[in-house]
Amino acid sequence: MKVLILGAGYGGLMTALQLQKELDYNEAEITIVNKHSYHYITTHLHAPAAGTLPTDRVKIELDDLIDREKINRIQQEVVKISLENKSVKLKDGQILVYDVLVIALGSDIETFGIKGLKEHAFVIRSVNSVRLIREHIEYMFAKYKTEPNRPEYLTFIVGGAGFTGIEFVGELADRVPELCKEFDVDPKVVRIFNIEAAPSVLPGFDEQLVEHAVEVLKSKGVEFHINTPIKEVTAEGVILENGEEIKSATVVWTGGVRGNQLIDTLGIETIRSRAKVDFYLRAPGYKDVFIIGDSSIVFDENGKPYPPTAQIAVQEGEYVAKQIVSLIRNGEIKKTPFKFQYLGTVASLGRREAIGKVGKWKIKGMTASLMKQLIDNRYLYSIGGLPLIFKKGKFLR
């Protein structure tokens, strides 16, 4: 049986590693297709973007994780998926056929129709994009030294106050003193704005913890514009819905994601380029096509969609792998619907500061920061054991 996995993010990689663990060498022909030779830890990208963590710490080479005797790896971009013909076309012209398909192609940026955003804003979405942000920030400090009458060089705007936005401004606020010292800049001229259209930062998170997060970040110099949509991003900065203009040479957008645009070409129902899958994470009408991670939308028992997080993608990957093993060995999947097990959420606020909710417990400060590192390292252990924790793990700093 030919099993084809598209994407090596959290969902796709976990599917592959579970199949690698549970299947014998001759049970299936498994192929994973990914644009890069590595898996990157999306939930860590905010740190190298700010420059508080080396870029290579969020990259893990796939060949260090997968057994090439069991899994064939192809480094290519997927350009077309035909569910009717059970085939996938790659950018180099290759056509791959499958018996079982797992689509885990990740996300694209959601612009919400904001004019100029794609043209003028940076985004935190890949290793290369965060490397560009880090280099640009450092360049702005150097440029300000030659043009000290241009305060917009050291005015940084972060659009979106969800997890990525909040974690990024926390890291950036920690990095600013180091950059000021390195480039001999007065810290008072540096401004960090966090702009959010919703009435609160971290929408949906516990109110008490959100208040703590805002207090911590304000103490680090972050200025908040809440309940304030961005109308337009220009080469000079942003124009807000209320007409206010903030001049800035650095706008970083963290305001949302949508599924990969290829999902809209599959001929099935989608919401913001995310497929509405059945209870077994399959494309409706297809018994051999699973869609997971940011490529799909999954509803709970109350009909409410689960947020697209790394946590749910990992669980989906584990679930789908078990269903594929059942398909291979029994000719059918197990009739147990996917059920997301919420394990808690922790948001970093920079060095030794975080907020979180784990079970019924609310945590903050150092305790939450340690929990965040524990969660991050637990994922590394699940895909690469102790050697990967020592190589890529996050430890108290």
Side-chain angles (χ1 to χ4, degrees), residues 21 255 274 300 329 352:
K21 181 180 177 181
R274 299 172 67 199
D300 64 18
R329 292 177 177 168
R352 305 192 180 193

Side-chain angles (χ1 to χ4, degrees), residues 108-122:
D108 286 331
I109 294 301
E110 176 62 89
T111 67
F112 298 106
I114 297 173
K115 184 179 178 183
L117 194 150
K118 278 192 172 180
E119 293 79 9
H120 301 296
F122 294 93

Side-chain angles (χ1 to χ4, degrees), residues 243-263:
E244 181 184 354
E245 182 175 0
I246 303 176
K247 291 190 176 297
S248 169
T250 310
V251 179
V252 179
W253 178 247
T254 68
V257 297
R258 62 188 297 119
N260 189 292
Q261 60 184 0
L262 281 176
I263 305 302

Side-chain angles (χ1 to χ4, degrees), residues 277-294:
V277 294
D278 67 14
F279 295 121
Y280 307 103
L281 305 184
R282 299 178 301 187
Y286 295 89
K287 294 182 178 181
D288 47 18
V289 178
F290 298 90
I291 309 179
I292 60 176
D294 290 341

